[in-house]
Amino acid sequence: MKSRSARLREMLAAPGLIPSPGVWDGISAQIAAEAGFELLYMTGSGVSLGTHGLPDVGLLTLTEMAEACRRITSAVSCPLIADADTGYGNAINVQRTVREFERAGATGVQFEDQVSPKKCSHLSGREVIGAEEMCLKIAAAREARRDPDLAIVARTDAAESYGIDEAIHRCRAYREAGADILFVTGPGGEAELARIPAEVDAPCLLVVAWGAEEMPQSKLEAMGFKIAVYPGEMQRVSAFAMREAAKILKETGSLGPLEERMLTYPQRFDLAGYGAVREIESKYLPAG
């Protein structure tokens, strides 16, 4: 069987756009895989909010994020790009980060050029380090990986403060430094969006936001994007549903009105693979 990283390389080489939902734990990953998605994206914001109840402002550590990655890759077999923030320090820290995420089963590791502590790309006030320093971090990441197919994803947040020209300039430099996939946050509208894959000679990842939310995937593909990530949407939907359920339960003392909108208990357990557990029980446990 081909490794997850080899499968991602095949996807990048094949024609077509790869849609990728943001996941943050085992059940969100299992739901995305069940829906048929072939590539998943571990959203740092989702892990911070969904696992720790904290805003995405650089509060989580390398070990916490690597453990979140391990929980996801243990639950599903899909290739997974994992958000590794700034690499949790300088180039030396980046090398350890790559090794920890490799051990955790990541298929791609994403680094950004923000000043630490970082902020979510949907928050304002993001500052960036120098392009040269980021290039050295990318080179260090490439050297640290044991699997040559592990994808290094480089994200730049320079567009917010310095404009799209600087962001594209950085993408080109990061590609030369060894990044496999490039990612620009915060482009200002459709015209700037279209410039990114047209002017960057590498697979380009797009977080579907910043005015692109209503764009059909066919249009993003025509622009030249390779990966379309929907990072927070599944969590936003689930948080909305949980808030409504909590409100109804508090007000009425029952969730009966929502019964048709919930998984049954067997469905809930089967989603996590309880059927396989039953098979093992019948094979290896003595009859009672």
Side-chain angles (χ1 to χ4, degrees):
M1 176 183 289
K2 292 179 181 176
S3 68
R4 300 186 210 218
S5 54
R7 283 153 53 201
L8 175 58
R9 292 286 177 172
E10 287 185 347
M11 289 184 209
L12 294 175
L17 182 76
I18 309 166
S20 180
V23 298
W24 61 96
D25 61 7
I27 194 167
S28 61
Q30 288 166 332
I31 288 169
E34 182 186 60
F37 287 99
E38 297 181 292
L39 174 65
L40 306 183
Y41 180 88
M42 188 188 88
T43 157
S45 179
V47 172
S48 189
L49 290 162
T51 306
H52 297 268
L54 293 170
D56 184 17
V57 290
L59 298 175
L60 269 59
T61 64
L62 162 60
T63 51
E64 289 171 318
M65 291 294 285
E67 181 56 33
C69 177
R70 185 175 291 107
R71 286 195 291 267
I72 292 168
T73 59
S74 296
V76 296
S77 61
C78 307
L80 176 77
I81 292 176
D83 184 356
D85 296 326
T86 62
Y88 311 101
N90 62 21
I92 298 169
N93 302 96
V94 163
Q95 291 206 322
R96 184 188 174 212
T97 296
V98 168
R99 293 179 184 127
E100 291 296 328
F101 273 88
E102 261 196 305
R103 279 193 284 267
T107 306
V109 184
Q110 177 186 297
F111 299 104
E112 61 203 54
D113 60 6
Q114 280 196 60
V115 170
S116 185
K118 55 72 58 85
K119 290 184 178 180
C120 174
S121 59
H122 293 280
L123 301 176
S124 61
R126 289 167 284 132
E127 299 178 9
V128 294
I129 62 176
E132 182 179 0
E133 181 181 354
M134 183 63 176
C135 286
L136 290 170
K137 291 172 82 168
I138 292 167
R142 281 183 61 88
E143 183 182 81
R145 63 186 178 185
R146 293 181 172 87
D147 179 358
D149 283 332
L150 178 77
I152 304 299
V153 184
R155 161 182 154 178
T156 180
D157 288 66
E160 181 189 22
S161 298
Y162 300 102
I164 192 65
D165 288 339
E166 173 64 15
I168 289 173
H169 169 75
R170 285 182 176 234
C171 279
R172 291 169 174 165
Y174 298 167
R175 176 63 163 173
E176 189 172 341
D180 299 294
I181 301 169
L182 280 303
F183 169 20
V184 175
T185 67
E190 187 172 331
E192 290 191 358
L193 268 178
R195 286 186 58 188
I196 298 166
E199 299 180 33
V200 176
D201 186 18
C204 290
L205 180 153
L206 174 69
V207 163
V208 183
W210 310 297
E213 296 93 336
E214 301 304 320
M215 286 189 187
Q217 291 180 3
S218 58
K219 188 167 188 176
L220 299 176
E221 182 177 341
M223 284 182 178
F225 285 101
K226 189 61 192 174
I227 301 172
V229 170
Y230 300 80
E233 281 63 24
M234 283 176 51
Q235 190 171 74
R236 289 167 58 203
V237 170
S238 61
F240 180 88
M242 286 189 289
R243 176 180 278 175
E244 290 297 299
K247 180 181 177 182
I248 290 171
L249 181 60
K250 174 65 176 175
E251 291 177 351
T252 70
S254 170
L255 287 178
L258 298 180
E259 192 64 40
E260 293 184 357
R261 297 170 59 190
M262 292 190 284
L263 295 178
T264 64
Y265 278 100
Q267 287 172 331
R268 178 170 167 243
F269 284 115
D270 286 341
L271 181 63
Y274 185 53
V277 173
R278 289 198 299 268
E279 290 182 11
I280 295 171
E281 287 177 338
S282 64
K283 185 175 181 180
Y284 293 111
L285 298 185

